[in-house]
């Protein structure tokens, strides 16, 4: 029986920093600063993890950061206290957000939808809590349009999805299915690691 998202990431929390810190703090640091620099208004951030991404947030913002794992959030709390702004942590499932409709101006994700069991449900929830005209900005790794590379990602997912992320998610297409208007997609590494800008249409 597959692990729930919560169980999977609670189990991964102990070793997460040692596995992810190098990529977050060295390889992808400049990309993440660029991706997050437009934060404004009331911001929702998925997923907090252990808070490694907090260092890339621009100062002085009002941010609600959530994660499904309480063990991840216990580590993130230490980093959240060092943020020069308002940063509140919440334990929630992305597919069942305890926020009212249209209450956020922007939503940001960071390597999130490789790990949500039901990505369409999660992205639909993000659209629900985002105000009409609000922006969704995603720093994500996804499936590839390059056939040999995508075959490798599918093979990797058979292993990685058991304890962590799926490597072959069609996240951009799923965001469209959830009702978002895709405005821009920028590839950072091949067409796998990318920054996606989308919005909830003003009249929706």
């Amino acid at each position: 029986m597959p692990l729930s998202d919560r169980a999977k990431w609670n189990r991964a929390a102990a070793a997460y920093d040692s596995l992810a810190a190098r990529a977050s703090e060295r390889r992808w640091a400049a990309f993440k600063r660029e991706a997050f620099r437009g934060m404004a208004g009331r911001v929702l951030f998925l997923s907090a993890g252990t808070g490694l991404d907090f260092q890339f947030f621009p100062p002085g913002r009002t941010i609600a950061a959530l994660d499904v794992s309480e063990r991840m959030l216990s580590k993130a709390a230490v980093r959240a206290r060092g943020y020069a702004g308002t940063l509140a942590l919440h334990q929630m499932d992305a597919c069942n957000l305890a926020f009212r409709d249209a209450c956020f101006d922007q939503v940001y994700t960071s390597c999130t939808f490789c790990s949500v069991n039901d990505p369409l449900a999660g992205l639909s929830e993000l659209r629900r809590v985002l105000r009409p005209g609000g922006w969704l900005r995603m720093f994500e790794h996804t499936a590839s349009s390059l056939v040999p590379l995508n075959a490798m990602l599918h093979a990797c997912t058979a292993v990685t999805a058991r304890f962590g992320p799926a490597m072959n998610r069609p996240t951009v297409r799923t965001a469209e299915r959830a009702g978002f208007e895709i405005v821009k997609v920028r590839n950072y590494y091949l067409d796998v690691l990318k920054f996606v800008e989308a919005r909830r249409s003003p009249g929706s």
Side-chain angles (χ1 to χ4, degrees):
M1 181 177 181
L3 289 175
S4 69
D5 287 342
R6 179 185 174 199
K8 182 187 297 185
W9 292 104
N10 272 337
R11 189 172 68 175
Y16 185 82
D17 280 2
S18 61
L19 295 172
R22 183 173 182 181
S24 293
E25 296 180 7
R26 298 180 187 177
R27 181 175 299 176
W28 311 132
F31 297 152
K32 289 189 174 185
R33 285 193 182 93
E34 180 182 9
F36 302 150
R37 68 182 178 185
M39 286 181 169
R42 190 174 183 210
V43 177
L44 176 63
F45 178 75
L46 287 77
S47 293
T50 62
L52 287 172
D53 285 337
F54 298 167
Q55 63 188 305
F56 307 124
F57 292 173
R61 304 310 198 260
T62 299
I63 303 168
L66 64 85
D67 201 277
V68 72
S69 164
E70 66 271 21
R71 292 182 185 174
M72 290 284 193
L73 288 173
S74 68
K75 294 189 173 188
V78 177
R79 293 183 169 113
R81 288 194 288 271
Y83 175 65
T86 301
L87 178 53
L89 302 182
H90 304 268
Q91 184 187 356
M92 289 185 199
D93 187 328
C95 299
N96 186 23
L97 300 179
F99 297 116
R100 68 182 188 276
D101 294 355
C103 65
F104 289 99
D105 300 299
Q106 297 181 342
V107 177
Y108 282 77
T109 74
S110 180
C111 297
T112 300
F113 281 93
C114 57
S115 304
V116 175
N117 275 340
D118 188 341
L120 180 58
L123 282 158
S124 297
E125 273 290 88
L126 295 190
R127 184 180 179 279
R128 179 185 67 79
V129 302
L130 186 63
R131 65 168 174 81
W135 286 88
L136 169 66
R137 295 187 170 104
M138 299 187 289
F139 179 88
E140 297 282 344
H141 62 82
T142 70
S144 174
S145 62
L146 305 173
V147 174
L149 178 56
N150 210 40
M152 182 184 72
L153 294 173
H154 278 291
C156 289
T157 295
V159 177
T160 61
R162 297 176 185 176
F163 59 84
M167 309 299 290
N168 60 350
R169 294 278 175 84
T171 301
V172 178
R173 188 162 69 247
T174 305
E176 288 183 301
R177 290 176 60 205
F180 283 102
E181 173 190 351
I182 306 300
V183 176
K184 185 178 180 180
V185 178
R186 177 176 178 181
N187 292 329
Y188 285 135
Y189 180 74
L190 299 175
D191 65 342
V192 175
L193 186 70
K194 59 189 61 174
F195 180 51
V196 181
E197 293 188 87
R199 69 172 186 163
R200 178 176 174 178
S201 297
S204 65

